[in-house]
Amino acid sequence: MRARMDTVGAVRRLVPPERLTSRVTALEDAFVIGHFGLAAPRPDRPVVVNGLVDRAVELTPDDVRALPQRRVESVHECFGNPLAPGEWVRRAANLVWTGARLRDVLDLAGVQPDATSVWARGADHGEFGGETSPDYLKDLPVDAVLDRALVAYACNDTWLQADRGGPLRLVVPGFFGTNSVKWLTELTLADHRPEHLFTTRLYLRPGPDGRSVPVRELDVTSVLIDVTDGVARGWAWSSVPVTRVVVTADGRPVTAELERARGRAWQGFRATVGSARTITARATDALGRTQPTSGARNAVHELSL
Amino acid sequence: MRARMDTVGAVRRLVPPERLTSRVTALEDAFVIGHFGLAAPRPDRPVVVNGLVDRAVELTPDDVRALPQRRVESVHECFGNPLAPGEWVRRAANLVWTGARLRDVLDLAGVQPDATSVWARGADHGEFGGETSPDYLKDLPVDAVLDRALVAYACNDTWLQADRGGPLRLVVPGFFGTNSVKWLTELTLADHRPEHLFTTRLYLRPGPDGRSVPVRELDVTSVLIDVTDGVARGWAWSSVPVTRVVVTADGRPVTAELERARGRAWQGFRATVGSARTITARATDALGRTQPTSGARNAVHELSL
């Protein structure tokens, strides 16, 4: 039952930002991060729903495709982001996911009232950080994701391939990619959080009271992708809509023209920068959060021509 | 003062076991694992010794080379080991390290009696497991490593290059490679263990009472490297000398001829296997530990011809 690992060891396919020219990122330009490598599960691999449910169920990809279909365009972003000066490694893409709502999937099993946490397990396994792990596991607060998350079976209107986590993966629009469990095998309803390398030990950051919390909602950020004929273009996004992007052209601020938000997709922006050699972009979102100038994973993006 | 990262993101240079034919592994055949990538520090980068010492000192590579020289042949092995069936990924080499004894280095600062832990800090930094880390850090029990560890400046009789952790790195013969901190910047004496991604959250395993302990002493293990003219050859090692290797040839056990232990180097073994198609090797060490048959990082190595 264990999935074969097609590649053993970490996989990273990254692209430079200048390839992110389309609103919807082509699959070949969308980053891939696989800490254990890529799994190669059977195309009919089912997902089991169990734990605090009325009845455990096992759903094949066909079963999931038979549920009401939902199509969501959303930013897909890895939390990992080395703070290497000048290195653009935000690992982001804007993709169109198709699948069933998590609520509709879980309703087939009947979520019991005391379930607060849904544990999503992936088939990938192997070694990371000196630990051998039999699977990948992420827990999510049930109420926050029931209507937001998809059990997805297609991406950019093609069936989900193994390198994208197919046949079925979880997708949580607005959350960092680490939550969108690839090669989904099991959804367990529980009344507590699980201990696992990827739940309580990695992908954490300080919360409001300083204690570690899981990496979930996206940060406000922006990326410059090109400058053509004196006009700089880029994308901006956050866990809520971005309301303003300020671009600087050799230090001179220019308020950028910003697309309106479309759900959880990224928003294009453009600004006239003339012949400037150093351009920066800084986004602010509807919650009033603005990108830090430095030292943070979502710091202001600077482009030197 | 921060080291430039020559490569951003995990680096793995691995070799198949059939290239490990020499007792001392050629540098081009010795694995490289860099979770953050490879740092490129200045060749005269010093090491600071501080904390619970009589006086903090800063030592250049020349200062360390002026101390009594010690040359140690020892197994260098990464703990990381995916349990992929048939995949040989022990990531091991046998190298000759030259440097100053850790005791001689620390004596220049004067270790205070209440120091129980030495924290070795490396210049490499970046992102791993969704965490951005400003450095690499490992703690070691002072008493266990004072006479064992080296502050090394040469490997296989050539100056330590940046891809090997130069100009100065820690080497702890008999311990897994994760303890041999590359691009050493600081040795801090303390009376407690530090919290860090690589001390209390990764590179841990269950100890005698089931609680997590750091990965330190090597496990008993063996690797088959080739079969020529009906004779199988390999290497065996542990944290103490290996006393016996049993080879099977199509299931028939043959006690292998085993080299005597030389310090912490690996020991060659050879066994007549004739025209057998399936060969296994299983080592036992001076503490009576034998390799498990399966399911463990140091499980029996099987070769199918």
Side-chain angles (χ1 to χ4, degrees):
Chain A
M1 193 56 185
R2 200 177 202 195
R4 182 169 63 82
M5 295 302 291
D6 208 28
T7 55
V8 174
V11 165
R12 295 184 181 193
R13 276 191 245 145
L14 303 178
V15 298
E18 58 267 26
R19 277 174 49 190
L20 302 175
T21 49
S22 309
R23 149 171 292 290
V24 174
T25 311
L27 283 177
E28 60 267 30
D29 293 335
F31 73 96
V32 172
I33 307 276
H35 288 314
F36 298 131
L38 303 180
R42 301 195 323 267
D44 59 346
R45 171 143 203 162
V47 168
V48 175
V49 184
N50 58 21
L52 297 175
V53 293
D54 297 334
R55 58 208 159 268
V57 295
E58 184 174 299
L59 303 169
T60 65
D62 279 344
D63 294 335
V64 177
R65 286 188 278 259
L67 292 170
Q69 185 177 95
R70 203 171 170 215
R71 196 167 169 280
V72 177
E73 180 183 327
S74 69
V75 174
H76 187 53
E77 182 188 7
C78 178
F79 182 73
N81 197 19
L83 299 176
E87 180 95 7
W88 187 87
V89 277
R90 280 195 182 77
R91 305 156 184 193
N94 190 55
L95 299 167
V96 175
W97 302 99
T98 306
R101 279 201 315 178
L102 182 61
R103 178 186 290 278
D104 291 338
V105 170
L106 298 185
D107 275 354
L108 297 175
V111 175
Q112 294 184 354
D114 48 344
T116 53
S117 176
V118 53
W119 306 359
R121 198 177 304 272
D124 46 330
H125 55 87
E127 178 266 330
F128 190 72
E131 309 246 352
T132 299
S133 184
D135 52 30
Y136 183 89
L137 188 68
K138 215 76 196 181
D139 63 298
L140 295 158
V142 172
D143 292 340
V145 295
L146 267 183
D147 291 305
R148 179 197 294 231
L150 298 184
V151 175
Y153 43 76
C155 185
N156 289 5
D157 299 312
T158 60
W159 296 125
L160 210 54
Q161 301 301 301
D163 64 342
R164 297 282 158 199
L168 296 175
R169 80 175 289 173
L170 198 67
V171 172
V172 192
F175 277 22
F176 281 104
T178 184
N179 297 287
S180 290
V181 174
K182 295 190 285 279
W183 308 293
L184 190 66
T185 62
E186 196 176 60
L187 292 164
T188 300
L189 281 297
D191 58 6
H192 62 282
R193 298 193 59 209
E195 293 287 324
H196 191 278
L197 182 59
F198 288 102
T199 60
T200 54
R201 298 172 63 195
L202 292 175
Y203 286 97
L204 303 173
R205 56 174 164 182
D209 66 353
R211 285 198 292 185
S212 287
V213 296
V215 163
R216 287 180 181 144
E217 299 273 2
L218 295 173
D219 296 325
V220 59
T221 193
S222 63
V223 56
L224 289 158
I225 49 170
D226 75 355
V227 181
T228 306
D229 298 334
V231 175
R233 290 196 311 145
W235 305 111
W237 66 92
S238 185
S239 57
V240 293
V242 168
T243 51
R244 196 161 79 110
V245 175
V246 174
V247 167
T248 68
D250 288 341
R252 175 177 51 86
V254 188
T255 296
E257 185 186 329
L258 177 69
E259 286 180 357
R260 289 188 50 188
R262 306 189 344 168
R264 300 192 184 275
W266 61 22
Q267 297 163 247
F269 65 85
R270 55 176 63 225
T272 302
V273 296
S275 57
R277 309 298 299 164
T278 301
I279 298 156
T280 68
R282 190 177 194 191
T284 299
D285 72 14
L287 294 174
R289 296 177 297 194
T290 296
Q291 289 183 257
T293 50
S294 68
R297 62 168 300 290
N298 62 327
V300 164
H301 184 210
E302 180 176 305
L303 189 66
S304 290
L305 300 175
Chain B
M1 191 57 183
R2 201 176 200 195
R4 181 168 62 83
M5 294 302 289
D6 208 28
T7 55
V8 174
V11 166
R12 296 185 180 192
R13 275 191 245 145
L14 303 177
V15 298
E18 59 267 26
R19 275 175 47 191
L20 302 175
T21 49
S22 310
R23 149 171 293 289
V24 174
T25 311
L27 283 177
E28 59 267 30
D29 293 335
F31 73 96
V32 172
I33 308 276
H35 289 312
F36 298 131
L38 303 180
R42 300 195 324 266
D44 59 345
R45 172 145 201 159
V47 168
V48 174
V49 185
N50 57 23
L52 298 175
V53 293
D54 297 334
R55 58 207 158 270
V57 294
E58 185 174 299
L59 303 169
T60 65
D62 279 343
D63 294 335
V64 177
R65 286 190 278 260
L67 292 170
Q69 185 177 96
R70 204 172 168 213
R71 196 168 170 279
V72 178
E73 181 182 327
S74 70
V75 174
H76 186 54
E77 182 188 7
C78 178
F79 182 75
N81 197 19
L83 299 176
E87 181 95 7
W88 188 86
V89 278
R90 281 195 182 76
R91 306 157 184 193
N94 190 55
L95 298 167
V96 176
W97 302 99
T98 306
R101 279 201 314 177
L102 183 60
R103 179 187 289 278
D104 292 338
V105 170
L106 297 185
D107 275 353
L108 296 176
V111 175
Q112 294 184 355
D114 49 343
T116 54
S117 176
V118 53
W119 306 359
R121 198 177 303 273
D124 46 329
H125 55 88
E127 179 267 329
F128 189 72
E131 308 248 352
T132 299
S133 185
D135 51 31
Y136 184 88
L137 187 68
K138 215 75 196 181
D139 63 299
L140 296 158
V142 172
D143 291 340
V145 296
L146 267 183
D147 291 305
R148 179 197 293 232
L150 298 185
V151 175
Y153 43 77
C155 185
N156 288 4
D157 300 311
T158 60
W159 297 125
L160 210 53
Q161 300 302 303
D163 64 343
R164 299 281 158 199
L168 296 175
R169 78 175 289 173
L170 199 67
V171 172
V172 192
F175 276 22
F176 281 104
T178 184
N179 298 287
S180 290
V181 175
K182 296 189 285 276
W183 307 294
L184 190 67
T185 61
E186 196 177 60
L187 291 164
T188 301
L189 281 298
D191 58 7
H192 62 282
R193 298 193 59 210
E195 293 288 323
H196 191 278
L197 181 59
F198 288 102
T199 60
T200 54
R201 298 171 63 194
L202 292 175
Y203 286 97
L204 303 173
R205 57 175 164 182
D209 66 354
R211 284 198 291 185
S212 287
V213 297
V215 163
R216 287 178 183 147
E217 298 274 2
L218 295 174
D219 296 326
V220 60
T221 194
S222 63
V223 56
L224 289 157
I225 49 171
D226 75 355
V227 180
T228 306
D229 298 336
V231 175
R233 291 195 311 145
W235 305 110
W237 66 93
S238 184
S239 58
V240 293
V242 168
T243 52
R244 196 161 77 109
V245 175
V246 174
V247 166
T248 69
D250 288 343
R252 176 177 50 86
V254 187
T255 297
E257 186 186 328
L258 177 68
E259 285 181 358
R260 289 187 52 187
R262 305 190 341 171
R264 300 191 185 274
W266 61 23
Q267 296 163 248
F269 64 87
R270 54 176 64 225
T272 302
V273 296
S275 56
R277 307 300 297 166
T278 302
I279 298 156
T280 67
R282 190 177 194 190
T284 299
D285 72 14
L287 294 174
R289 296 176 298 193
T290 297
Q291 289 184 257
T293 51
S294 68
R297 60 169 301 290
N298 61 328
V300 164
H301 185 208
E302 179 175 306
L303 189 67
S304 289
L305 300 174

